[in-house]
Amino acid sequence: MTRRNLIWLIVALAVLAAAALGWRGLRARQAAQQTQAASATAPVIELRALDVAPVELRDLTISLPISGSLRAVRSAFVKARVPGELIGLTVREGDRVQAGQVIARVESTEYDERMRQAQRQAEAAQAQVAIAQRQYDNNRALVDEGFISRTALDASAASLDAARATARAAQAGTEVARKSVNDTVLKAPISGQIAQRLAQPGERVAPDARIVEIVDLSQLELEATLSPADSVAVRVGQSASLSIEGASAPVPATVARINPSAQAGSRGVTVYLTVQPEPGLRQGLFAQGTLAVGQQRALAVPLSSVRTDKPAPYVQLVEGTGDAARVVHRAVTPGERAVIDGETWVAVTGLAAGSRVLRGAAGALREGTRVRLDGKAAG
């Protein structure tokens, strides 16, 4: 290759390099212009004060979820004590009864006759005591005068003791028969309402057969089972708020007792809460609520602000002010929850106090979305 051709080749290469650099610069300027145009035309999301919540220190009441059924503290089954035909049962479910009121009877003819028989036997035994007493008195007088031996007196004394023992046994039999007669009358052990009628008039019942159940609704309690880990923080006197079927407002309750033994198998611990009596509450109603077991002061956000549509929980932060306000996603670690002024808040780590997060009502926004805050939200 000649010297002239080499020079021309070098010049051509330089021209091509310059052209390539110019083309690259033109493309970069075009891309920047497009990005700027897109940014200028990107939609701006208007946010109201209700869409934004501050990250701030809150006093959170640590609570445990509880549930269970209501039951009356005082309840009782009226049971038959003697077998026989049931008569006089007129009360039905819902009827009110007073302690000592006669609920029903067991047909008592047989037991009345047995008591009369026992009384006659007791009278006969008492007559034998009188005969033995007279014989003993006579023999003692004869011994004093020397007409009979001391052995005869001892024999009459033994006969008297035996007669007295027989009389006492007969009297005891009379008392047993009298108790059987009394047991034919079935009375209410407590005041309350009939919850169940488990037998019908004319039915022959056996001993310990349940006739009716009585419940006293003036004292109700919730029986809730907690896990071993949750039960550690529970103490007598702690308060709870319950939602009960049919109740229009939350019902307050207080921990009254804690079972000292865990249930076999589940290892659950039963907690008993005294429920504030209110009209309409009934035994067996299902209740659920929260039991306050402590306090914690921590940075918190509304629970709706914590999103879970990514592998890790995160919140949508508003960073910047004015036209520079943008949405930024920030991972957080949720902690304890509490209801404050009717809204559930959750303690979080990974945020700074004073930050602004979007509530759940604002929806999911892509990171970098431009937002504009109204006056109240910006404040």
Side-chain angles (χ1 to χ4, degrees):
M1 180 180 293
T2 63
R3 181 181 180 84
R4 180 177 294 181
N5 291 338
L6 182 59
I7 294 174
W8 279 109
L9 180 59
I10 294 173
V11 171
L13 292 174
V15 171
L16 290 174
L21 290 174
W23 176 256
R24 182 177 296 179
L26 178 62
R27 296 286 294 177
R29 287 195 298 273
Q30 289 177 347
Q33 290 173 357
Q34 290 175 356
T35 301
Q36 184 176 3
S39 176
T41 59
V44 179
I45 305 299
E46 296 284 346
L47 296 177
R48 302 168 300 165
L50 295 178
D51 297 325
V52 182
V55 180
E56 56 187 0
L57 285 172
R58 290 271 186 168
D59 292 322
L60 304 178
T61 300
I62 302 173
S63 58
L64 298 175
I66 55 174
S67 62
S69 298
L70 297 183
R71 69 180 187 89
V73 175
R74 300 177 67 240
S75 64
F77 282 99
V78 177
K79 299 181 180 180
R81 297 180 180 178
V82 293
E85 180 183 347
L86 188 65
I87 60 176
L89 178 62
T90 59
V91 293
R92 307 190 71 86
E93 289 83 354
D95 288 344
R96 290 189 173 275
V97 295
Q98 299 296 322
Q101 177 179 333
V102 175
I103 301 296
R105 299 175 185 272
V106 173
E107 210 285 320
S108 62
T109 301
E110 179 182 352
Y111 301 100
D112 291 337
E113 293 300 327
R114 288 181 181 178
M115 187 180 70
R116 280 192 283 270
Q117 180 183 21
Q119 288 176 333
R120 300 296 180 268
Q121 290 174 345
E123 292 171 358
Q126 194 63 42
Q128 291 298 321
V129 171
I131 294 173
Q133 183 68 52
R134 286 195 298 272
Q135 184 178 2
Y136 173 78
D137 293 340
N138 292 335
N139 288 343
R140 186 173 59 180
L142 294 174
V143 167
D144 293 340
E145 295 177 2
F147 291 106
I148 62 175
S149 66
R150 189 74 183 180
T151 302
L153 179 61
D154 292 341
S156 62
S159 297
L160 176 59
D161 291 340
R164 287 173 176 173
T166 301
R168 287 194 294 269
Q171 186 61 38
T174 301
E175 297 301 324
V176 171
R178 181 176 289 108
K179 181 180 183 303
S180 295
V181 172
N182 294 335
D183 287 344
T184 61
V185 181
L186 307 181
K187 298 181 180 180
I190 61 173
S191 299
Q193 291 179 273
I194 303 297
Q196 297 183 79
R197 193 170 91 163
L198 304 169
Q200 300 300 327
E203 180 179 344
R204 185 168 183 82
V205 295
D208 288 333
R210 295 179 175 183
I211 308 302
V212 295
E213 181 187 11
I214 303 173
V215 297
D216 180 5
L217 297 181
S218 63
Q219 291 181 300
L220 293 173
E221 67 180 12
L222 172 68
E223 185 175 310
T225 302
L226 300 177
S227 67
D230 290 341
S231 66
V232 173
V234 179
R235 300 288 184 273
V236 173
Q238 290 174 339
S239 60
S241 178
L242 304 176
S243 296
I244 302 176
E245 294 174 313
S248 59
V251 178
T254 305
V255 177
R257 308 186 311 281
I258 303 173
N259 197 313
S261 301
Q263 296 178 356
S266 67
R267 303 303 178 191
V269 177
T270 305
V271 178
Y272 305 89
L273 294 89
T274 300
V275 179
Q276 187 70 28
E278 291 192 5
L281 296 186
R282 297 287 185 269
Q283 178 172 259
L285 291 179
F286 180 76
Q288 60 183 352
T290 55
L291 172 62
V293 296
Q295 294 281 338
Q296 179 185 18
R297 186 168 179 81
L299 289 175
V301 298
L303 180 61
S304 63
S305 297
V306 180
R307 306 191 64 84
T308 57
D309 51 359
K310 288 185 177 181
Y314 71 97
V315 297
Q316 300 180 117
L317 285 178
V318 177
E319 288 191 346
T321 58
D323 294 337
R326 299 286 190 278
V327 172
V328 177
H329 294 178
R330 186 69 52 80
V332 295
T333 301
E336 299 291 345
R337 301 180 183 183
V339 177
I340 303 176
D341 298 330
E343 183 178 19
T344 302
W345 286 66
V346 57
V348 293
T349 56
L351 299 178
S355 301
R356 294 167 296 179
V357 297
L358 298 186
R359 297 178 183 268
L365 301 180
R366 286 194 295 179
E367 197 166 9
T369 301
R370 298 173 60 200
V371 294
R372 181 181 296 117
L373 308 178
D374 65 14
K376 293 182 179 179

